[in-house]
Amino acid sequence: MNTLDSKIPEGPLAQKWTNYKANQKLVNPANKRKLDVIVVGTGLAGASAAASLGAMGFNVDIFCISDSPRRAHSIAAQGGINAAKNYQNDGDSVGRLFYDTIKGGDYRAREANVYRLAEVSNDIIDQCVAQGVPFAREYGGLLDNRSFGGAQVSRTFYARGQTGQQLLLGAYGALSHQIARGTVKLHERHEMLDLVVVDGKARGIIARDLTTGEIKRYAAHAVVLATGGYGNIYFLSTNAMNSNGSAEWCCHKKGAYFANPCFVQIHPTCIPVHGDYQSKLTLMSESLRNDGRIWVPKKKEDVEALRKGTLKPTEIKEEDRDYYLERRYPAFGNLVPRDVASRAAKERCDAGYGVNNTGLAVFLDFSTAIQRLGRDVIEARYGNLFQMYEKITAVNPYETPMMIYPAIHYTMGGIWVDYELQTTIPGLFAAGEANFSDHGANRLGASALMQGLADGYFVLPYTLQNYLADEIYSGKVSANSPEFDQAEENVRQRIDRLMSIKGTKTVDHFHKKLGLIMWDYVGMGRNAEGLQKGLTLIKELEEEFWKDVQITGTADSMNPELEKAIRLADYFELAKLMAKDAYHRNESCGGHFREEYQTEDGETLRNDNDYMYVAAWEYQGHNQDETLHKEPLVYQDIEIKQRNYK
Amino acid sequence: MNFTLKIWRQENAKAKGRFETYKVENISSDCSFLEMLDILNESLISNKIAHPVCFDNDCREGICGMCGLYINGRPHGNDDGVTTCQLHMRKFKDGETIWIEPWRAKAFPVIRDLVVDRTAYDKIIQAGGYVSVSTGGVPDANSILVSKDKADKAMDAAECIGCGACVAACKNASAMLFVSAKVSHLALLPQGKVEAANRVQKMVEKMDELGFGNCTNTYACEAECPKLIKRSNIARLNREWICARVGKEK
Amino acid sequence: MNLPKIASISRKILVACVGLFLLVFLLVHMGINLCLLRPDDGEWYSIACNFMGTNYIIKVFEVVLFAALIAHIIITVALQIQNWKARPVRYHQPSKSKTSAMSKTMIWTGGLVFVFLALHFVNFYFVKLGLVEGKYMIQTEHALSSSELQAKYMAYTQGKLSPEEMATFQTEMEAVQGLMIKAESEGLYSDDMKWIRNLSAEDVKPVEGIVEGIEPDFYNMAFELFGNKVYSVIYLILFVALAFHLIHAMQSAFQTLGLNHNKYNKFIEGFSWVYAIIIALGFAAVPVYIMFFV
């Protein structure tokens, strides 16, 4: 087993990034024009990276599976973006943001990366404001902040409930500026299907034109992967329908290690599943927990009556309600972190107290807050969310308690990267949710936007240049090498194989089944036995998929069924790795909760002695056991504590 | 609930399209419109009736702007302030016949079935819908003061999701609401004011060039915008245009 | 009909400016029309017509007005063609978007107004230009004291006329006398005796070139035209179309010129309605009065 070199620069934590930048290699302007970079993905990380690299003078090709870069799922982030500006004079600092992020991640993130993230967070806000992002303002014209979970300061910048949208549109604007200048070329409706590695270096990609089905080759001196997370493996998640893990997976198959695949974040406040036809779960902002009280009935007969519809939730007496978060966590009450709140809801539902016809929901009740503050105040605070809830469920949350349930939201795991965001394949970089770097085992609210933009605007432009400085002698990369031939041939074969199955069941049929297996065995609560069983079930389902899936249409035309099938085929393999990773990590931390490892009160029980490392997996071939590489996590500047929210 | 669907089917951009009739049964009223189409597609595949109906969709929570169908004579269907993915079947009558058409505009050619090509919007943005700053070298965020009122108005305009409903609704297939939303958003902020004159001219010229119609102030766009973007933005665009042209030096 | 290099918004702004100018003209025109309703036997009306027909400033404005009208039509038609081209494949289902009927039918109501204008020109403006025959009137003073006849009369008394000239002079004298007799017997004098009116082209023909100041008699033409019920009904229908056109036109022009403010939008909208209704009622008043009260 070779150890991983994370290339963390020397020096004190606060000086590492400064030192790196002072010593990195640069490329002169004339040479930049001769260097090609491929960026895959147009979310916050991809768009900001392409815009920045284009502005610097590199030739950039950017790929997008949707019809426009502006559709990327970063757009759906609601709450805000963190930065250590300390505009509110409440004692915030880079150090404190760094500390909160490490602690929130349950001490499973790389210290140097997180510190750098906190450091550049301020530059992000400056950059976005300069781009014209309409952040919320105070009456004096200065920027406004709100507070968010996991922090004692107000450091979150926001643009109503659409911060992600506004930041993405800012990055999209910057990208459009570069496209207009001709430094960036946009390839919309193109999906990356393979990475091309020449002489051990990433040299290009194979992509499918989703409009015509044409398989195309693109060569470059470096490839940046910014394709987001793989939460859709659960079928039902808060991710967009087209979000997928295939780009990551094909890179993994070509030699990029996959880190901490089992670290998945589950968001506690989503609108519950209402039927088996459901395609997607909608997130309700975490801010609702500021005034809402979460409860389930105390009595089983009330639960039965609720499900039958003979009893209304408002008719259940106060003493018959179990405000389980307030009961279990008197200090934090309804405001415990995401992973804790999610598990507590699951615990009640598993015990048979769940409401809704499925038994998989809990109440989020605003009646106390409405009595105390008045309906007007609640409307001013949450009006748009209440309206959205009513649109979806046709239930008026001012009168009847909302029903919520946890849902898959974000994947902390991803492609392993070093300090430079370079993967184990030289020339392949990963940014944003696609890499594993900054959130450890649990991500804090308003930090995903920060990380995506930090990677794209302020990290990659430096580290990628450092890499490209050595590439100026290699000349134009040709797309006619045998490696490209081979990669294209592999893609074609894979597509042909899928198209030739001509089975009886739809892709979604298998995806829904996989989602259920993942949710049941590799979901919120995991145990060794369940993970083993899950692994078996995944393998069985995968075999059935390859025998019985039916894909209509042809490969040489627009064919969403084929797109979904290619993605699902990769998900099967990723699912096995997730189960394996979850099985190997004999501890509970952050979003990874192993039922065998919990405190007496049912809280996560970390094992810092044996598992304070990043698990980076190396692909060995289909159905071959992946090899584990460990990157030990060393915390020099931080005291390690058990999280406690009682 | 049961529905009869009349759906536009078209193999590819060049093929001649036609309406096909399908039936869906036992649809829950809680089902979203796109989930209803998912159910239809599942049955089309399982029963080997036809290739599933292609339609654009992504986030399914009303923010990405990817989905967009012309349903019974209205973009995004018979509900106000929602995208197609947020439209629910409870808005329809049981047994109803539902006509589903793609956006129709010269600038939005049909790619397949209900999928249209909206890259024209990207081209308009590329013509100037941004502030020309590169990464780095920008002032501290709080050194640019923006009044709350202006920031709020800018945000109202910036909420545009680029779905194309305004073009689809407009009898002239005009993109004025879309263009004006971006022009307004940036013109209202000091950061965007600097190149406002250039921006409005470039974007409008590009809009004309791409084959969009012009605005005859019917305000169908405003009535159908899922983000409720106001016609006042179009007036602001006109003002910006006049100022830009009057102040233009040869 | 393509006007290249002028952006759609510039064209629209032109249409709006011209439209607002036409709106002002309509008010003036309506004012003159309403003079017909005064029981002064056309005194005010004739003065107004005379002023409009002879004042030099008005003559300049007449050119501007025609240019405006033609520009308005050409540009809107060009814009409309661009708009039709912008959606080559129509929807199967008719639009159910919430919009006003007026805003969507501008090109059609505009077309009806154009039809009306054509009719109007034939009946009135072409008469003025002498392209079409109408009714005429002559100032009594002029008829009695034509300077040319005076001069010939002087020559006649001095015996300076040649026999040929004598013959012409006599014919001319007879023509004028004939006109005077006709006026006397048929009561063609206006109340103040200043005008001989309601003359047909036949009546005027013999005195043409002899008597100065032959003018179209719009007053009597109006009464005769509106006496025709079919014409009046067509006129009224077309003015409903004009009202529809104007209701949207004014607020639309404000919007196009960028004058939109949530404080004043309601006022502008209300004002558009009031203006359109006033114009329609004002113009309709004349035929309605003539149809029912004359």
Side-chain angles (χ1 to χ4, degrees):
Chain A
M1 185 196 296
N2 52 345
T3 48
L4 289 158
D5 179 10
S6 50
K7 293 197 229 158
I8 297 169
E10 293 302 315
L13 191 59
Q15 292 303 313
K16 284 181 193 294
W17 183 232
T18 313
N19 289 347
Y20 177 90
K21 288 194 285 185
N23 296 313
Q24 67 157 125
K25 283 172 273 187
L26 298 174
V27 182
N28 87 41
N31 283 331
K32 279 181 186 149
R33 283 193 288 272
K34 295 177 194 157
L35 291 164
D36 304 320
V37 181
I38 283 173
V39 178
V40 187
T42 58
L44 286 181
S48 58
S52 304
L53 293 167
M56 289 162 77
F58 294 106
N59 277 324
V60 183
D61 279 278
I62 189 162
F63 294 81
C64 163
I65 51 172
S66 307
D67 68 337
S68 165
R70 65 185 296 158
R71 315 287 183 214
H73 200 53
S74 304
I75 208 159
Q78 298 169 352
I81 177 165
N82 287 333
K85 280 282 194 187
N86 193 28
Y87 280 160
Q88 304 303 322
N89 194 28
D90 54 5
D92 198 9
S93 64
V94 168
R96 198 173 288 274
L97 175 55
F98 157 71
Y99 175 76
D100 287 343
T101 309
I102 290 278
K103 182 190 171 200
D106 221 355
Y107 305 94
R108 290 294 175 265
R110 188 190 290 146
E111 194 182 51
N113 284 47
V114 177
Y115 196 88
R116 177 179 63 191
L117 174 67
E119 227 178 316
V120 302
S121 66
N122 293 338
D123 299 336
I124 297 172
I125 303 302
D126 298 342
Q127 185 66 34
C128 294
V129 167
Q131 285 169 347
V133 170
F135 281 122
R137 298 274 169 170
E138 289 167 353
Y139 282 100
L142 297 170
L143 287 154
D144 192 19
N145 290 115
R146 58 164 67 143
S147 51
F148 235 72
Q152 290 162 303
V153 292
S154 277
R155 62 159 74 103
T156 305
F157 295 80
Y158 65 101
R160 296 208 182 127
Q162 291 110 296
T163 317
Q165 180 198 26
Q166 293 311 315
L167 294 175
L168 182 66
L169 292 181
Y172 165 70
L175 179 66
S176 297
H177 179 202
Q178 295 307 322
I179 294 171
R181 286 184 65 214
T183 56
V184 178
K185 192 167 185 317
L186 172 66
H187 305 268
E188 74 282 343
R189 292 194 197 266
H190 277 65
E191 180 160 17
M192 171 180 176
L193 290 183
D194 206 358
L195 178 78
V196 184
V197 180
V198 181
D199 298 332
K201 287 177 175 174
R203 285 302 193 201
I205 64 166
I206 305 294
R208 181 168 178 268
D209 182 335
L210 301 181
T211 310
T212 62
E214 197 184 336
I215 308 291
K216 298 177 180 171
R217 304 169 176 200
Y218 297 91
H221 295 92
V223 176
V224 176
L225 201 65
T227 54
Y230 47 89
N232 255 351
I233 199 165
Y234 292 84
F235 190 76
L236 287 178
S237 76
T238 63
N239 284 14
M241 302 305 286
N242 294 324
S243 303
N244 69 82
S246 282
E248 281 172 275
W249 194 254
C250 67
C251 293
H252 177 55
K253 279 160 80 171
K254 283 286 165 84
Y257 294 179
F258 209 115
N260 299 335
C262 77
F263 286 170
V264 176
Q265 181 168 75
I266 292 164
H267 201 290
T269 50
C270 297
I271 298 174
V273 179
H274 46 76
D276 57 5
Y277 51 82
Q278 192 159 352
S279 57
K280 138 103 194 175
L281 294 170
T282 304
L283 180 80
M284 300 297 287
S285 171
E286 193 166 351
S287 61
L288 288 171
R289 284 197 280 144
N290 281 315
D291 285 308
R293 297 177 73 195
I294 295 173
W295 63 277
V296 290
K298 268 183 191 163
K299 296 179 190 161
K300 280 262 166 83
E301 57 262 35
D302 285 350
V303 174
E304 290 301 320
L306 278 170
R307 287 186 197 169
K308 276 185 207 146
T310 51
L311 183 71
K312 284 186 194 143
T314 43
E315 292 165 356
I316 297 174
K317 283 190 221 113
E318 194 62 27
E319 58 267 30
D320 291 335
R321 300 177 176 192
D322 177 13
Y323 294 94
Y324 58 87
L325 285 178
E326 295 168 30
R327 169 168 61 80
R328 285 176 66 180
Y329 311 100
F332 276 70
N334 293 299
L335 282 171
V336 290
R338 288 176 177 177
D339 54 335
V340 178
S342 296
R343 274 196 298 276
K346 178 175 156 45
E347 189 273 332
R348 279 295 83 191
C349 292
D350 288 351
Y353 293 94
V355 293
N356 204 5
N357 51 7
T358 53
L360 294 174
V362 298
F363 289 123
L364 177 62
D365 197 336
F366 287 85
S367 56
T368 318
I370 290 173
Q371 273 169 23
R372 181 165 48 90
L373 302 164
R375 189 182 151 137
D376 296 347
V377 176
I378 295 299
E379 198 168 340
R381 283 186 192 168
Y382 310 111
N384 59 337
L385 292 167
F386 276 40
Q387 197 189 358
M388 180 165 97
Y389 183 86
E390 195 173 348
K391 283 258 187 230
I392 295 172
T393 61
V395 172
N396 180 353
Y398 293 102
E399 284 154 18
T400 311
M402 279 186 186
M403 285 194 283
I404 53 161
Y405 198 65
I408 299 293
H409 182 54
Y410 186 89
T411 52
M412 281 74 69
I415 298 291
W416 185 89
V417 289
D418 60 21
Y419 188 74
E420 296 185 296
L421 302 185
Q422 188 161 216
T423 67
T424 46
I425 302 174
L428 176 68
F429 294 75
E433 193 180 346
N435 73 29
F436 87 103
S437 70
D438 299 342
H439 305 299
N442 177 51
R443 179 178 65 76
L444 287 183
S447 281
L449 301 179
M450 173 171 69
Q451 187 225 337
L453 289 180
D455 289 358
Y457 283 133
F458 297 110
V459 180
L460 275 177
Y462 296 95
T463 61
L464 193 66
Q465 185 170 199
N466 188 48
Y467 172 80
L468 289 171
D470 293 334
E471 293 295 322
I472 49 175
Y473 307 108
S474 53
K476 191 99 187 146
V477 180
S478 162
N480 293 319
S481 61
E483 287 86 353
F484 271 94
D485 294 343
Q486 187 60 47
E488 185 180 329
E489 185 53 29
N490 288 348
V491 166
R492 287 185 189 282
Q493 278 177 9
R494 193 171 163 81
I495 290 173
D496 289 346
R497 198 178 149 207
L498 283 166
M499 294 302 296
S500 63
I501 297 170
K502 299 198 189 306
T504 59
K505 298 200 174 72
T506 64
V507 179
D508 279 355
H509 164 87
F510 289 104
H511 198 165
K512 283 178 183 176
K513 274 190 153 179
L514 175 66
L516 279 178
I517 296 171
M518 292 301 286
W519 181 248
D520 289 344
Y521 301 105
V522 200
M524 255 189 291
R526 302 144 176 195
N527 57 60
E529 195 190 341
L531 287 164
Q532 288 291 27
K533 188 174 175 203
L535 201 56
T536 318
L537 291 172
I538 296 165
K539 280 181 186 161
E540 284 170 12
L541 189 66
E542 186 185 21
E543 274 175 36
E544 196 191 334
F545 168 83
W546 282 102
K547 278 182 202 138
D548 200 21
V549 73
Q550 187 198 3
I551 304 160
T552 54
T554 57
D556 58 359
S557 62
M558 177 176 263
N559 192 341
E561 287 301 306
L562 175 62
E563 292 164 28
K564 287 193 282 185
I566 294 170
R567 295 168 192 169
L568 183 58
D570 291 332
Y571 274 145
F572 281 119
E573 295 192 71
L574 176 55
K576 287 181 283 185
L577 184 62
M578 286 171 73
K580 188 178 162 71
D581 185 45
Y583 180 75
H584 115 280
R585 191 170 278 278
N586 289 312
E587 63 160 352
S588 295
C589 59
H592 170 63
F593 188 74
R594 280 282 297 270
E595 283 153 2
E596 307 95 310
Y597 308 102
Q598 50 180 307
T599 63
E600 284 172 10
D601 310 314
E603 305 304 330
T604 55
L605 187 62
R606 280 204 322 266
N607 178 350
D608 289 340
N609 289 332
D610 297 326
Y611 290 97
M612 201 183 271
Y613 62 76
V614 175
W617 300 89
E618 184 185 0
Y619 189 75
Q620 301 291 346
H622 186 67
N623 272 343
Q624 303 292 313
D625 260 353
E626 300 221 2
T627 313
L628 174 66
H629 302 270
K630 294 178 185 173
E631 180 204 341
L633 292 167
V634 184
Y635 295 101
Q636 291 169 327
D637 287 61
I638 212 163
E639 189 195 349
I640 298 162
K641 289 178 185 164
Q642 191 75 30
R643 293 199 305 170
N644 183 6
Y645 294 97
K646 281 199 182 287
Chain B
M1 301 171 90
N2 302 328
F3 302 100
T4 303
L5 307 175
K6 302 268 188 186
I7 302 180
W8 182 259
R9 303 300 310 259
Q10 183 174 336
E11 292 293 310
N12 54 55
K14 287 177 190 135
K16 201 169 152 32
R18 76 233 165 254
F19 282 99
E20 291 282 349
T21 307
Y22 304 109
K23 293 209 184 282
V24 285
E25 283 160 1
N26 295 322
I27 301 290
S28 156
S29 61
D30 286 336
C31 192
S32 79
F33 194 84
L34 296 184
E35 284 165 353
M36 183 275 293
L37 288 181
D38 288 342
I39 293 171
L40 168 72
N41 277 344
E42 288 288 293
S43 80
L44 291 182
I45 302 168
S46 304
N47 301 322
K48 298 195 192 303
I49 298 169
H51 186 62
V53 180
C54 291
F55 58 92
D56 264 335
N57 70 101
D58 199 15
C59 79
R60 297 212 179 182
E61 51 186 276
I63 192 74
C64 75
M66 188 86 170
C67 64
L69 303 173
Y70 196 80
I71 303 161
N72 283 349
R74 285 188 70 183
H76 296 308
N78 192 26
D79 197 358
D80 294 334
V82 298
T83 54
T84 304
C85 63
Q86 293 171 304
L87 179 69
H88 284 76
M89 297 318 291
R90 66 180 81 93
K91 287 276 166 188
F92 294 85
K93 288 192 282 287
D94 192 14
E96 196 175 338
T97 298
I98 305 172
W99 289 83
I100 308 170
E101 302 175 63
W103 285 173
R104 292 288 190 197
K106 185 183 168 198
F108 289 169
V110 173
I111 295 175
R112 178 164 200 174
D113 296 343
L114 303 168
V115 178
V116 298
D117 179 358
R118 279 170 295 197
T119 46
Y121 266 12
D122 290 321
K123 290 184 184 130
I124 292 177
I125 296 293
Q126 284 156 20
Y130 46 77
V131 177
S132 304
V133 291
S134 299
T135 308
V138 296
D140 182 83
N142 258 351
S143 67
I144 303 167
L145 295 182
V146 184
S147 79
K148 187 169 166 23
D149 175 53
K150 284 271 174 69
D152 284 347
K153 282 209 177 82
M155 183 63 201
D156 287 342
E159 284 188 24
C160 169
I161 56 173
C163 64
C166 46
V167 171
C170 178
K171 75 180 181 66
N172 310 326
S174 170
M176 280 287 271
L177 193 66
F178 170 78
V179 177
S180 71
K182 186 46 72 186
V183 165
S184 288
H185 159 211
L186 294 176
L188 281 161
L189 297 172
Q191 305 94 299
K193 198 79 205 161
V194 182
E195 34 185 352
N198 193 39
R199 175 182 308 115
V200 67
Q201 295 184 79
K202 289 276 173 56
M203 289 180 78
V204 168
E205 280 158 15
K206 183 54 91 174
M207 173 185 84
D208 281 351
E209 181 194 320
L210 290 166
F212 289 102
N214 52 73
C215 178
T216 52
N217 305 332
T218 68
Y219 313 129
C221 51
E222 186 186 57
E224 299 301 357
C225 176
K227 296 294 151 188
L228 308 174
I229 292 179
K230 296 273 174 296
R231 70 179 81 161
S232 53
N233 291 302
I234 299 181
R236 188 178 291 106
L237 167 77
N238 293 337
R239 282 204 295 279
E240 290 287 327
W241 173 267
I242 293 169
C243 293
R245 298 305 278 201
V246 170
K248 194 181 181 185
E249 286 181 36
K250 283 276 174 189
Chain C
M1 206 65 94
N2 235 348
L3 302 176
K5 284 186 186 170
I6 305 176
S8 60
I9 298 189
S10 291
R11 298 193 210 176
K12 279 158 43 57
I13 288 165
L14 216 59
V15 170
C17 292
V18 164
L20 287 177
F21 173 67
L22 294 174
L23 286 179
V24 175
F25 167 73
L26 274 179
L27 264 189
V28 175
H29 193 317
M30 183 184 77
I32 295 171
N33 275 19
L34 288 177
C35 291
L36 282 167
L37 299 183
R38 254 182 79 92
D40 62 356
D41 197 24
E43 189 187 343
W44 279 31
Y45 186 74
S46 296
I47 292 170
C49 287
N50 192 259
F51 174 76
M52 297 299 283
T54 53
N55 187 290
Y56 285 104
I57 299 171
I58 298 293
K59 279 190 188 293
V60 173
F61 260 94
E62 198 173 277
V63 176
V64 176
L65 181 69
F66 271 101
L69 189 64
I70 290 165
H72 191 78
I73 293 168
I74 290 180
I75 303 172
T76 46
V77 169
L79 285 169
Q80 184 61 52
I81 289 171
Q82 183 190 354
N83 290 342
W84 279 326
K85 279 188 188 161
R87 178 164 293 136
V89 183
R90 324 287 304 169
Y91 289 110
H92 179 275
Q93 288 290 294
S95 167
K96 291 192 187 69
S97 301
K98 283 171 217 147
T99 51
S100 72
M102 290 75 138
S103 68
K104 285 195 288 191
T105 50
M106 288 300 276
I107 193 73
W108 307 118
T109 51
L112 285 175
V113 171
F114 183 75
V115 168
F116 167 75
L117 281 177
L119 207 63
H120 184 64
F121 277 12
V122 169
N123 288 329
F124 289 91
Y125 194 72
F126 285 5
V127 172
K128 187 183 160 190
L129 295 182
L131 297 173
V132 170
E133 285 181 4
K135 285 185 177 299
Y136 301 90
M137 57 188 194
I138 298 170
Q139 281 195 29
T140 321
E141 202 182 318
H142 282 289
L144 291 176
S145 56
S146 158
S147 51
E148 198 184 334
L149 280 183
Q150 295 270 347
K152 281 188 181 173
Y153 183 72
M154 286 300 288
Y156 165 70
T157 49
Q158 292 165 7
K160 286 180 187 168
L161 288 180
S162 68
E164 293 83 33
E165 286 172 329
M166 268 303 286
T168 330
F169 176 58
Q170 263 172 356
T171 331
E172 287 173 353
M173 283 298 284
E174 276 163 25
V176 174
Q177 275 164 2
L179 185 72
M180 304 299 283
I181 292 162
K182 186 181 167 73
E184 198 68 46
S185 61
E186 293 180 19
L188 298 181
Y189 287 105
S190 64
D191 288 354
D192 55 7
M193 299 296 285
K194 277 185 185 164
W195 294 92
I196 304 167
R197 304 197 316 198
N198 214 359
L199 298 166
S200 69
E202 243 168 65
D203 297 335
V204 204
K205 206 157 196 174
V207 297
E208 237 171 82
I210 308 162
V211 177
E212 291 164 14
I214 302 173
E215 287 176 36
D217 183 358
F218 292 124
Y219 184 79
N220 282 300
M221 279 159 65
F223 273 84
E224 189 183 80
L225 269 176
F226 290 133
N228 182 338
K229 292 228 157 60
V230 177
Y231 182 84
S232 290
V233 168
I234 292 173
Y235 184 95
L236 289 175
I237 289 172
L238 293 177
F239 265 92
V240 171
L242 178 67
F244 264 64
H245 198 73
L246 294 186
I247 287 168
H248 182 67
M250 184 178 284
Q251 41 185 310
S252 182
F254 276 96
Q255 166 83 2
T256 299
L257 295 175
L259 304 170
N260 175 309
H261 192 291
N262 52 18
K263 245 189 204 170
Y264 310 114
N265 284 348
K266 279 268 172 278
F267 171 77
I268 292 173
E269 198 187 326
F271 186 72
S272 301
W273 276 85
V274 169
Y275 182 90
I277 290 169
I278 287 177
I279 290 284
L281 289 182
F283 276 97
V286 177
V288 168
Y289 172 78
I290 294 172
M291 267 165 82
F292 295 104
F293 301 103
V294 173

